[in-house]
Amino acid sequence: FQDNEQPIKRLQPPPTADQPAESTGGRRRGRKQDSEDPTGLVSRTVSEEVTSQFKGSLAQRQRWYNKTYVYVLVLTGALGLCIFSSLYPALLIPSIVNLAPSTNLASTRRTYVRAIAHLCREVVLNDNLSRMSLEETTGTLRFLRNELQAIDKEI
């Protein structure tokens, strides 16, 4: 703008009955007002019947996954699973404690079975190519068989 020019004001249409006028303080003309408090603000009240019908209508249109009982049921289920997952393994602690010795006994048993199979082959062949005599082989076989039976009882 130059020094002597003024900005152009836009012309506004005159207020109609539906639009608020500046002189009325923002109130609309031609509308019924319920009540007016001393500050000049309009307070509108809704009857209990309309409120209850509105709430009932909203409850009918509400999806099943937004309802309160669904949240309560899901949270109860999740809490139950958390408790179950922490308490159930506590019942298995005695068997978990003995897991390493049981695994060790199974390994020892497998070793004894292989040794018994080897000694049985030596007794059957009896070709005198082994380092033990027949009496030593049968004695060792008897010892390993007794040990194997003891391990089977422990497992």
Side-chain angles (χ1 to χ4, degrees):
F1 297 109
Q2 292 179 358
D3 292 334
N4 59 355
E5 290 185 23
Q6 296 290 328
I8 300 172
K9 292 184 179 180
R10 290 193 172 184
L11 296 176
Q12 300 201 3
T16 61
D18 295 329
Q19 294 177 344
E22 293 180 4
S23 62
T24 59
R27 293 188 206 147
R28 295 179 186 227
R29 295 180 186 168
R31 274 188 134 177
K32 181 181 175 186
Q33 297 175 359
D34 292 338
S35 64
E36 191 171 322
D37 62 359
T39 59
L41 298 175
V42 176
S43 64
R44 300 187 187 277
T45 58
V46 180
S47 67
E48 288 294 323
E49 181 182 350
V50 172
T51 304
S52 65
Q53 286 179 356
F54 183 69
K55 286 181 181 179
S57 177
L58 284 178
Q60 287 176 352
R61 288 175 173 79
Q62 189 178 22
R63 299 284 185 181
W64 65 270
Y65 49 81
N66 287 340
K67 296 194 178 189
T68 305
Y69 71 88
V70 173
Y71 285 104
V72 170
L73 184 67
V74 167
L75 289 176
T76 304
L79 182 64
L81 285 175
C82 289
I83 291 171
F84 176 76
S85 66
S86 63
L87 292 181
Y88 184 71
L91 299 175
L92 301 175
I93 286 177
S95 63
I96 293 172
V97 167
N98 294 327
L99 189 62
S102 297
T103 306
N104 190 19
L105 285 177
S107 175
T108 305
R109 183 180 184 279
R110 184 175 56 245
T111 303
Y112 284 166
V113 167
R114 288 179 180 171
I116 289 172
H118 174 72
L119 291 176
C120 285
R121 187 185 73 208
E122 290 295 326
V123 169
V124 169
L125 289 177
N126 196 14
D127 56 0
N128 292 329
L129 293 176
S130 67
R131 296 181 186 163
M132 296 191 299
S133 66
L134 186 61
E135 292 81 22
E136 288 175 328
T137 305
T138 55
T140 307
L141 188 60
R142 189 177 303 116
F143 171 76
L144 290 175
R145 191 189 67 200
N146 291 337
E147 288 293 316
L148 184 63
Q149 287 175 349
I151 287 176
D152 282 342
K153 288 179 183 176
E154 289 180 23
I155 292 179

